[in-house]
Amino acid sequence: MSKAIGSISDSIPRRFRKQAEQPPLKPSEYPNVITPAKIVWQTDDTGNSVPVSGEFGDVYFSHVDGLAESRHVFLNGNQLPERLAILAAYQCFTIAELGFGTGLNLLALWQLWRQLRTTHPELITSRLHLITTEKHPIPLVDLTQILTLWGQRAPELTTLIGQLLAAYPPLISGCHRLNFISDNFTVDIWLGDAAESLAKLDTQLDSHSSNQPAHIDAWFLDGFAPSCNQSLWADSIFAQVQRLSHLGTTAATYSCAGVVKRGLQDSGFEIKKVAGFGRKRDMLTAVMKLAKDNASVSSEVNKSKESPILPNRPTHIVAIGAGIAGLMSAWSLANRGIKVTMLDKDAPLSGASGNPRALLAPKMTPIHHVDEHLHTIGYLYSSRFYRYLNQQAAIHATPPILEPTGALEILVKSNVSVEEIADYPYEMATTLTTAQAEEITGLSTLDLSTNLYLPQSGLVNPQAIKNIILMHPLITFQQLAVTHIDETENNVRIIGHIDNDMQGNDIKKNDTVTLDAITLDADSVVICAAYEGHKLDSRIAKCRTIRGQLSWFTTTTEQQTHLPKIPLKYSGYCAPFLAQKGDAELNTMVEGQAQFLLGASFLDADTDTGIRPQENQQNREKLITDIPELDSSLPTDTDNWQARAGIRTQTIDYHPLVGLLADSKRLWTLSAMGAKGYALAPLCAETLADMMLGSFSPLSAAMIAKISPNRARVHALK
């Protein structure tokens, strides 16, 4: 994120942090569960303490000067100062690293990128993408110690170190995307076996889109020495390096071992032995010399000032639907320099996304499934993203987007048991003692001996999200009821009408207006219209519709002393919150008044959004059935409660619809996230933007197939 964000432990109440900061996890019986690195400390040539891998007995960086080594071997070895300086506007340069280690290569690269963006203002719209892998990541407490020492040795890295540590993910297998938005710098940390992680990268070769396949421009081959860790220099690794590279891709490594030379040469690279760093006499640089037609290329990187062509890059995209899916799609695309027009027949957040608050909490799964569990990875990304938006809200003096409350799940309706989540990192999920659970919730008679405490959970303010996103200079909203979408070879034409009672229209100068009809042209369209998407394009699967009514009421001081202090998950969820400025624009409440939220109802195949008093009563009964002691604290008369009903859209396999529609080059969709939109939409929108622009996404190829709008299974609903 563009500014340092408070560390994960900041979201854990101080009195519970001792439990949350326990030593690294023990090795798991499951191969895809992360075993953190064991750090051993040694003294380098200058008397500084440096980390050594306890697993492999090798140094993480040179005993002479690790930072200088990173710059010499990986930055200069790949000619990055020269290559990054000549990027074209909006061009994305992608680097892959084998072995994240201490993050020193990342920091050196980031600092270089910042310097180049300062001295070369024309890079303002160019992007840098680092994909890095790590099987044994360093625990945050050890990484903090390591990088704090580097901050003392290299003060120029201090700010970047703070940002990296703040965004450092829990040690859970899978891809963790860190977006440092103000620097146009994206980092994807793939935790797990390197060969398996690289195999998950989707080059989008099968996409109907006319974009070129995604590829790596430069490699940092920085695993421990082949004599210490053979797995990072295995044939399976070099096969992936070859698959993901293209003509002109470079690689650099400190190692000159025979296995490295042969692996690169057999993968189509031309290698060159150059001067090494420190005690290392030699190192290797390489360039991919074979294209698919086996044409050769010089070992010198093309340093021409001629800007590369960026084929088929859209400049204007229309997003139809202004719920959380449409807002997130607009944000991800606008942050890649694309103008986005959002359309909706109603005001933004008028549908199911407009509840007073949304609970951001993980839907837990056994840890050995987590690397392909969309909700977990989406939740972790959303948590980081909303904290970034909090910084933007503070700058604009608007209400925060995420209130980090933590949450307690009492395991009434859960997919996992306490035993199944025991191996999760403590900052992700843990179990509190009964006394701790009673203290943090305020409950006293409920049996809390089995519970799940979720320290990073919090309450999301939809109105605050909308306000921040609509401030983006490349995003505009226009109220329009879309009636027809016509895709041509060169663009998409959207036809709609404005009802006479629509307000706040933003009719552009070049729009064609006939009576109440409007026609807009765009390079591509993203349909984010929930269950109405099927009406706009029949290729979008018809989904299950589930009505949900959420209830809330203003609490008295007396009630506040007896109601839960933090959000609770049971067969529903409840949460106390304070009404903020702007809340009344979407829902009935008074700024500054304490509210208590509970619900929601669940009615299948019901698309009516009228408020039903009986569903307020049902929400009350659901809560007291699971937590009987709240009966005396909740008003018995629910007729005066406030409520909001929305329609959740859900596929038959519970995965959303994300991607390009069949037999199309310009029509995309992001929809059908059920009740998990605020956890899933930010990461799904990132994935969609990557698909549209031909970049690597933070989801595996298998997961991309699971969320494809064209998968056969979701079209079974009639």
Coordinates of all heavy atoms in Angstrom, one line a residue, residues 513-586:
V513 N -28.3 11.6 -28.0 CA -29.5 11.7 -27.1 C -30.8 11.8 -28.0 O -30.8 12.8 -28.8 CB -29.4 12.8 -26.1 CG1 -30.7 12.8 -25.2 CG2 -28.2 12.7 -25.3
T514 N -31.7 10.9 -27.9 CA -33.0 11.0 -28.6 C -34.1 10.8 -27.6 O -34.2 9.7 -27.0 CB -33.1 10.0 -29.7 OG1 -32.0 10.1 -30.6 CG2 -34.4 10.2 -30.5
L515 N -34.8 11.9 -27.3 CA -35.7 11.8 -26.2 C -35.0 11.4 -24.9 O -34.1 12.0 -24.4 CB -36.9 11.0 -26.6 CG -37.8 11.4 -27.8 CD1 -38.8 10.4 -28.1 CD2 -38.3 12.8 -27.5
D516 N -35.5 10.2 -24.4 CA -34.8 9.7 -23.2 C -33.8 8.6 -23.5 O -33.3 8.0 -22.5 CB -35.9 9.1 -22.2 CG -36.8 10.2 -21.7 OD1 -36.3 11.3 -21.5 OD2 -38.0 9.9 -21.4
A517 N -33.5 8.4 -24.7 CA -32.5 7.3 -25.1 C -31.1 7.9 -25.1 O -30.9 9.0 -25.5 CB -32.9 6.7 -26.4
I518 N -30.2 7.0 -24.7 CA -28.7 7.4 -24.8 C -28.0 6.3 -25.4 O -28.2 5.1 -25.1 CB -28.2 7.8 -23.4 CG1 -28.8 9.1 -22.9 CG2 -26.7 7.8 -23.4 CD1 -28.2 9.6 -21.6
T519 N -27.0 6.6 -26.2 CA -26.1 5.6 -26.7 C -24.6 6.0 -26.4 O -24.2 7.1 -26.5 CB -26.2 5.5 -28.3 OG1 -27.5 5.2 -28.7 CG2 -25.2 4.5 -28.9
L520 N -23.9 5.0 -25.8 CA -22.5 5.2 -25.5 C -21.7 4.1 -26.2 O -22.1 3.0 -26.4 CB -22.3 5.0 -24.0 CG -23.0 6.0 -23.0 CD1 -24.3 5.3 -22.5 CD2 -22.1 6.3 -21.8
D521 N -20.5 4.5 -26.5 CA -19.5 3.6 -27.1 C -18.4 3.3 -26.1 O -17.9 4.3 -25.5 CB -19.0 4.1 -28.4 CG -20.0 4.1 -29.5 OD1 -21.0 3.3 -29.4 OD2 -19.9 4.9 -30.5
A522 N -17.9 2.1 -26.1 CA -16.7 1.8 -25.2 C -15.9 0.7 -25.9 O -16.4 0.0 -26.8 CB -17.2 1.3 -23.9
D523 N -14.7 0.6 -25.4 CA -13.8 -0.5 -25.9 C -14.2 -1.9 -25.4 O -14.1 -2.9 -26.2 CB -12.4 -0.2 -25.5 CG -11.8 1.1 -26.1 OD1 -12.0 1.3 -27.3 OD2 -11.2 1.8 -25.3
S524 N -14.7 -1.9 -24.2 CA -15.2 -3.2 -23.6 C -16.2 -2.9 -22.6 O -16.4 -1.7 -22.1 CB -14.0 -3.9 -22.9 OG -13.1 -4.4 -23.9
V525 N -17.0 -3.9 -22.2 CA -18.0 -3.7 -21.2 C -17.8 -4.8 -20.1 O -17.6 -6.0 -20.5 CB -19.4 -3.8 -21.8 CG1 -20.5 -4.0 -20.7 CG2 -19.7 -2.6 -22.6
V526 N -18.0 -4.5 -18.9 CA -18.0 -5.5 -17.8 C -19.5 -5.4 -17.2 O -19.9 -4.4 -16.7 CB -17.0 -5.1 -16.7 CG1 -17.1 -6.2 -15.6 CG2 -15.6 -5.0 -17.2
I527 N -20.1 -6.5 -17.2 CA -21.5 -6.6 -16.7 C -21.5 -7.1 -15.3 O -21.0 -8.2 -15.0 CB -22.3 -7.6 -17.6 CG1 -22.4 -7.1 -19.0 CG2 -23.8 -7.7 -17.0 CD1 -23.1 -8.0 -20.0
C528 N -21.9 -6.2 -14.4 CA -21.8 -6.5 -12.9 C -23.2 -6.3 -12.4 O -23.4 -5.7 -11.3 CB -20.9 -5.5 -12.2 SG -19.2 -5.4 -12.9
A529 N -24.2 -6.9 -13.1 CA -25.6 -6.6 -12.8 C -26.3 -7.7 -12.0 O -27.5 -7.8 -12.1 CB -26.4 -6.3 -14.1
A530 N -25.5 -8.5 -11.3 CA -26.1 -9.5 -10.4 C -27.1 -10.4 -11.3 O -26.7 -10.8 -12.4 CB -26.8 -8.9 -9.2
Y531 N -28.2 -10.7 -10.7 CA -29.1 -11.7 -11.4 C -29.7 -11.1 -12.7 O -30.2 -11.8 -13.5 CB -30.2 -12.2 -10.5 CG -31.2 -11.2 -10.1 CD1 -32.4 -11.0 -10.8 CD2 -31.0 -10.3 -9.0 CE1 -33.4 -10.1 -10.4 CE2 -31.9 -9.4 -8.6 CZ -33.1 -9.3 -9.3 OH -34.1 -8.3 -9.0
E532 N -29.6 -9.8 -12.8 CA -30.2 -9.2 -14.0 C -29.2 -9.2 -15.2 O -29.5 -8.9 -16.3 CB -30.5 -7.7 -13.8 CG -31.7 -7.6 -12.8 CD -32.1 -6.2 -12.5 OE1 -31.2 -5.3 -12.5 OE2 -33.3 -5.9 -12.4
G533 N -27.9 -9.7 -14.9 CA -27.0 -9.9 -16.0 C -27.4 -10.8 -17.1 O -27.1 -10.6 -18.3
H534 N -28.2 -11.9 -16.7 CA -28.7 -12.8 -17.6 C -29.6 -12.2 -18.6 O -29.7 -12.6 -19.8 CB -29.4 -14.0 -16.9 CG -30.0 -15.0 -17.8 ND1 -29.2 -15.9 -18.5 CD2 -31.3 -15.2 -18.2 CE1 -30.0 -16.7 -19.2 NE2 -31.3 -16.3 -19.0
K535 N -30.3 -11.1 -18.2 CA -31.3 -10.4 -19.1 C -30.5 -9.6 -20.1 O -31.0 -9.4 -21.2 CB -32.2 -9.5 -18.2 CG -33.0 -10.3 -17.2 CD -33.9 -9.3 -16.4 CE -34.7 -10.0 -15.3 NZ -35.4 -9.1 -14.4
L536 N -29.3 -9.1 -19.7 CA -28.5 -8.3 -20.6 C -27.8 -9.1 -21.6 O -27.6 -8.7 -22.7 CB -27.6 -7.4 -19.8 CG -28.2 -6.3 -18.9 CD1 -27.1 -5.7 -18.1 CD2 -28.9 -5.3 -19.8
D537 N -27.4 -10.3 -21.2 CA -26.7 -11.2 -22.1 C -26.9 -12.6 -21.6 O -26.5 -13.0 -20.5 CB -25.2 -10.9 -22.1 CG -24.4 -11.6 -23.3 OD1 -24.6 -12.8 -23.4 OD2 -23.8 -10.9 -24.0
S538 N -27.5 -13.4 -22.5 CA -28.0 -14.8 -22.1 C -26.8 -15.7 -21.9 O -26.9 -16.8 -21.3 CB -28.9 -15.4 -23.2 OG -28.2 -15.4 -24.4
R539 N -25.6 -15.3 -22.3 CA -24.4 -16.1 -22.0 C -24.0 -16.0 -20.5 O -23.2 -16.9 -20.1 CB -23.2 -15.6 -22.9 CG -23.4 -16.0 -24.4 CD -22.3 -15.3 -25.2 NE -22.5 -13.9 -25.2 CZ -21.7 -13.1 -26.0 NH1 -20.8 -13.6 -26.8 NH2 -21.9 -11.8 -25.9
I540 N -24.5 -15.1 -19.8 CA -24.3 -15.0 -18.4 C -25.3 -16.0 -17.7 O -26.5 -15.8 -17.9 CB -24.4 -13.6 -17.8 CG1 -23.4 -12.7 -18.4 CG2 -24.3 -13.6 -16.3 CD1 -23.5 -11.2 -18.0
A541 N -24.8 -16.9 -17.0 CA -25.7 -18.0 -16.4 C -26.8 -17.4 -15.6 O -26.6 -16.4 -14.9 CB -24.9 -19.0 -15.6
K542 N -28.0 -18.0 -15.7 CA -29.1 -17.6 -14.8 C -28.7 -18.2 -13.4 O -28.5 -19.4 -13.3 CB -30.4 -18.2 -15.3 CG -31.6 -17.8 -14.6 CD -32.9 -18.3 -15.2 CE -34.1 -17.9 -14.5 NZ -35.3 -18.4 -15.0
C543 N -28.8 -17.3 -12.4 CA -28.3 -17.7 -11.1 C -29.5 -17.8 -10.1 O -30.6 -17.3 -10.3 CB -27.3 -16.7 -10.6 SG -25.8 -16.7 -11.5
R544 N -29.2 -18.5 -9.0 CA -30.1 -18.6 -7.9 C -30.3 -17.2 -7.3 O -29.3 -16.5 -7.1 CB -29.5 -19.6 -6.9 CG -30.4 -19.8 -5.7 CD -29.6 -20.8 -4.8 NE -30.4 -21.1 -3.6 CZ -29.8 -21.7 -2.5 NH1 -28.5 -22.1 -2.6 NH2 -30.5 -22.0 -1.5
T545 N -31.5 -16.8 -6.9 CA -31.7 -15.5 -6.3 C -32.2 -15.8 -4.8 O -33.1 -16.5 -4.6 CB -32.8 -14.7 -7.0 OG1 -34.0 -15.5 -7.2 CG2 -32.2 -14.3 -8.4
I546 N -31.6 -15.1 -3.9 CA -31.8 -15.3 -2.5 C -32.1 -14.0 -1.8 O -31.2 -13.1 -1.8 CB -30.7 -16.0 -1.8 CG1 -30.4 -17.4 -2.5 CG2 -31.0 -16.3 -0.3 CD1 -29.1 -18.0 -2.1
R547 N -33.3 -13.8 -1.3 CA -33.6 -12.5 -0.6 C -33.1 -12.6 0.8 O -33.1 -13.6 1.5 CB -35.2 -12.4 -0.6 CG -35.6 -11.2 0.3 CD -37.1 -11.3 0.6 NE -37.5 -10.5 1.7 CZ -37.9 -9.2 1.7 NH1 -37.9 -8.6 0.6 NH2 -38.2 -8.6 2.8
G548 N -32.5 -11.5 1.2 CA -32.0 -11.3 2.5 C -32.3 -10.0 3.1 O -32.0 -8.9 2.5
Q549 N -33.0 -10.0 4.2 CA -33.4 -8.7 4.9 C -32.5 -8.6 6.2 O -32.5 -9.5 7.0 CB -34.8 -8.7 5.3 CG -35.3 -7.4 6.0 CD -36.8 -7.3 6.1 OE1 -37.5 -7.4 5.1 NE2 -37.2 -7.0 7.3
L550 N -31.8 -7.5 6.3 CA -31.0 -7.2 7.4 C -31.7 -6.2 8.3 O -32.4 -5.3 7.8 CB -29.7 -6.6 7.0 CG -28.5 -6.6 7.9 CD1 -28.1 -8.0 8.2 CD2 -27.3 -5.8 7.3
S551 N -31.6 -6.3 9.6 CA -32.4 -5.5 10.6 C -31.4 -4.7 11.4 O -30.3 -5.2 11.7 CB -33.3 -6.3 11.4 OG -34.1 -7.2 10.7
W552 N -31.8 -3.5 11.9 CA -31.0 -2.8 12.9 C -31.9 -1.8 13.7 O -33.0 -1.5 13.2 CB -29.8 -2.0 12.2 CG -30.2 -0.9 11.3 CD1 -30.3 0.4 11.7 CD2 -30.6 -0.9 9.9 NE1 -30.7 1.2 10.6 CE2 -30.8 0.4 9.5 CE3 -30.6 -2.0 9.0 CZ2 -31.2 0.7 8.2 CZ3 -31.0 -1.7 7.7 CH2 -31.3 -0.4 7.3
F553 N -31.4 -1.5 14.8 CA -32.1 -0.5 15.7 C -31.2 0.3 16.5 O -30.0 -0.1 16.7 CB -33.1 -1.3 16.6 CG -32.4 -2.2 17.6 CD1 -32.0 -1.8 18.8 CD2 -32.2 -3.5 17.2 CE1 -31.4 -2.6 19.7 CE2 -31.6 -4.4 18.1 CZ -31.2 -4.0 19.4
T554 N -31.6 1.5 16.9 CA -30.8 2.4 17.7 C -30.8 1.9 19.1 O -31.9 1.6 19.7 CB -31.4 3.8 17.6 OG1 -31.4 4.2 16.3 CG2 -30.5 4.8 18.4
T555 N -29.7 1.7 19.7 CA -29.6 1.2 21.1 C -29.5 2.3 22.1 O -29.0 3.4 21.9 CB -28.3 0.3 21.2 OG1 -27.2 1.1 20.9 CG2 -28.4 -0.9 20.3
T556 N -30.1 1.9 23.3 CA -30.0 2.8 24.4 C -28.7 2.5 25.2 O -28.0 1.5 24.9 CB -31.2 2.6 25.4 OG1 -31.0 1.2 25.9 CG2 -32.5 2.7 24.7
T557 N -28.3 3.4 26.1 CA -27.1 3.2 26.8 C -27.2 1.9 27.7 O -26.2 1.1 27.8 CB -26.8 4.4 27.8 OG1 -26.7 5.6 27.0 CG2 -25.6 4.2 28.6
E558 N -28.4 1.6 28.2 CA -28.6 0.4 29.0 C -28.4 -0.8 28.1 O -27.8 -1.8 28.5 CB -29.9 0.5 29.6 CG -30.3 -0.8 30.4 CD -29.5 -1.1 31.6 OE1 -28.8 -0.2 32.1 OE2 -29.4 -2.3 32.0
Q559 N -29.0 -0.8 26.9 CA -28.9 -1.9 26.0 C -27.4 -2.2 25.6 O -27.0 -3.4 25.5 CB -29.7 -1.7 24.8 CG -31.2 -1.8 25.0 CD -32.0 -1.4 23.8 OE1 -31.6 -0.6 23.0 NE2 -33.3 -1.8 23.7
Q560 N -26.7 -1.2 25.4 CA -25.3 -1.3 25.0 C -24.5 -2.1 26.0 O -23.5 -2.8 25.6 CB -24.7 0.1 24.7 CG -25.3 0.8 23.5 CD -24.8 2.2 23.5 OE1 -23.7 2.6 23.8 NE2 -25.7 3.1 23.0
T561 N -24.8 -2.0 27.3 CA -24.0 -2.7 28.3 C -24.3 -4.2 28.3 O -23.5 -4.9 28.9 CB -24.4 -2.1 29.7 OG1 -25.7 -2.4 30.0 CG2 -24.1 -0.6 29.8
H562 N -25.3 -4.6 27.6 CA -25.7 -6.0 27.6 C -25.5 -6.7 26.3 O -25.5 -7.9 26.2 CB -27.1 -6.2 28.2 CG -27.3 -5.7 29.6 ND1 -26.8 -6.4 30.7 CD2 -28.0 -4.7 30.0 CE1 -27.2 -5.7 31.8 NE2 -27.9 -4.7 31.4
L563 N -25.5 -5.9 25.2 CA -25.4 -6.5 23.9 C -23.9 -6.8 23.6 O -23.0 -6.2 24.2 CB -25.9 -5.5 22.8 CG -27.4 -5.3 22.9 CD1 -27.8 -4.1 21.9 CD2 -28.2 -6.6 22.5
P564 N -23.6 -7.7 22.6 CA -22.2 -8.0 22.3 C -21.4 -6.8 22.0 O -21.8 -5.8 21.3 CB -22.4 -8.9 21.1 CG -23.7 -9.5 21.2 CD -24.6 -8.4 21.8
K565 N -20.1 -6.9 22.4 CA -19.2 -5.7 22.2 C -18.5 -5.8 20.8 O -18.0 -4.7 20.3 CB -18.1 -5.8 23.3 CG -18.6 -5.7 24.7 CD -17.4 -5.8 25.7 CE -17.9 -5.8 27.1 NZ -16.7 -6.0 28.0
I566 N -18.5 -6.9 20.2 CA -17.8 -7.1 18.9 C -18.8 -7.9 18.0 O -19.7 -8.5 18.5 CB -16.5 -7.8 19.0 CG1 -16.6 -9.2 19.5 CG2 -15.5 -7.0 19.9 CD1 -15.4 -10.1 19.3
P567 N -18.5 -7.9 16.7 CA -19.4 -8.7 15.8 C -19.3 -10.2 16.2 O -18.2 -10.7 16.5 CB -18.8 -8.5 14.4 CG -18.2 -7.1 14.5 CD -17.6 -7.1 15.9
L568 N -20.4 -10.9 16.1 CA -20.5 -12.3 16.3 C -21.0 -13.0 15.1 O -21.9 -12.5 14.4 CB -21.4 -12.6 17.5 CG -21.1 -12.0 18.9 CD1 -22.2 -12.4 19.9 CD2 -19.7 -12.4 19.3
K569 N -20.5 -14.2 14.8 CA -21.0 -15.1 13.8 C -21.6 -16.3 14.4 O -21.1 -16.9 15.3 CB -19.8 -15.5 12.9 CG -19.2 -14.5 12.0 CD -18.2 -15.0 11.1 CE -18.7 -16.0 10.1 NZ -17.7 -16.5 9.1
Y570 N -22.9 -16.6 14.0 CA -23.6 -17.7 14.5 C -24.3 -18.3 13.3 O -23.6 -18.5 12.3 CB -24.6 -17.3 15.6 CG -25.4 -16.1 15.4 CD1 -26.7 -16.2 14.9 CD2 -24.9 -14.8 15.6 CE1 -27.5 -15.1 14.7 CE2 -25.6 -13.7 15.3 CZ -26.9 -13.8 14.8 OH -27.7 -12.7 14.6
S571 N -25.5 -18.6 13.3 CA -26.2 -19.0 12.1 C -26.5 -17.8 11.2 O -27.0 -17.9 10.1 CB -27.5 -19.8 12.4 OG -28.4 -19.1 13.2
G572 N -26.4 -16.6 11.8 CA -26.4 -15.3 11.1 C -25.2 -14.5 11.6 O -24.2 -15.1 12.0
Y573 N -25.3 -13.2 11.7 CA -24.3 -12.4 12.3 C -24.9 -11.2 12.9 O -26.0 -10.7 12.5 CB -23.1 -12.1 11.4 CG -23.4 -10.9 10.4 CD1 -23.0 -9.6 10.7 CD2 -24.0 -11.1 9.2 CE1 -23.3 -8.6 9.9 CE2 -24.2 -10.1 8.3 CZ -23.8 -8.8 8.6 OH -24.0 -7.8 7.7
C574 N -24.3 -10.6 13.9 CA -24.8 -9.4 14.6 C -23.5 -8.5 14.9 O -22.4 -9.0 15.0 CB -25.6 -9.7 15.8 SG -24.6 -10.4 17.2
A575 N -23.8 -7.2 15.0 CA -22.7 -6.3 15.2 C -23.1 -5.0 15.7 O -24.1 -4.4 15.2 CB -21.9 -6.1 13.9
P576 N -22.5 -4.4 16.7 CA -22.7 -3.0 17.1 C -21.9 -2.1 16.3 O -20.8 -2.4 15.8 CB -22.3 -3.0 18.6 CG -21.2 -4.0 18.6 CD -21.5 -5.1 17.6
F577 N -22.4 -0.9 16.0 CA -21.7 0.1 15.2 C -22.2 1.4 15.5 O -23.4 1.6 16.0 CB -21.6 -0.2 13.7 CG -22.9 0.0 13.0 CD1 -23.2 1.2 12.3 CD2 -23.9 -0.9 13.0 CE1 -24.4 1.4 11.6 CE2 -25.1 -0.7 12.3 CZ -25.3 0.4 11.6
L578 N -21.4 2.4 15.2 CA -21.8 3.8 15.4 C -22.1 4.4 14.0 O -21.2 4.3 13.1 CB -20.7 4.6 16.1 CG -21.1 6.0 16.6 CD1 -22.0 5.9 17.8 CD2 -19.8 6.7 17.1
A579 N -23.3 5.0 13.8 CA -23.6 5.7 12.5 C -22.6 6.8 12.2 O -22.3 7.6 13.0 CB -25.0 6.2 12.6
Q580 N -22.1 6.8 11.0 CA -21.1 7.7 10.5 C -21.8 8.8 9.6 O -22.9 8.6 9.1 CB -20.0 7.0 9.8 CG -19.2 6.0 10.7 CD -18.4 6.7 11.7 OE1 -17.8 7.7 11.5 NE2 -18.4 6.1 12.9
K581 N -21.0 9.8 9.3 CA -21.4 10.8 8.3 C -21.7 10.1 7.0 O -20.9 9.4 6.5 CB -20.4 11.9 8.2 CG -20.7 13.0 7.2 CD -19.6 14.0 7.1 CE -20.0 15.1 6.1 NZ -18.9 16.1 6.0
G582 N -22.8 10.4 6.3 CA -23.2 9.8 5.0 C -24.0 8.6 5.1 O -24.6 8.2 4.1
D583 N -24.1 7.9 6.3 CA -24.9 6.7 6.4 C -26.3 6.9 6.0 O -27.0 6.0 5.4 CB -24.8 6.1 7.8 CG -23.5 5.2 8.0 OD1 -23.0 4.8 7.0 OD2 -23.1 5.1 9.2
A584 N -26.8 8.0 6.3 CA -28.3 8.3 6.1 C -28.6 8.5 4.6 O -29.7 8.4 4.2 CB -28.7 9.6 6.8
E585 N -27.5 8.6 3.8 CA -27.8 8.7 2.3 C -28.3 7.3 1.8 O -29.0 7.3 0.8 CB -26.5 9.1 1.6 CG -26.0 10.5 1.9 CD -24.8 10.8 1.2 OE1 -24.5 10.3 0.1 OE2 -24.0 11.7 1.7
L586 N -27.9 6.2 2.5 CA -28.3 4.9 2.0 C -29.4 4.3 2.9 O -30.3 3.6 2.4 CB -27.1 4.0 2.0 CG -26.1 4.1 0.8 CD1 -24.9 3.2 1.0 CD2 -26.8 3.9 -0.5

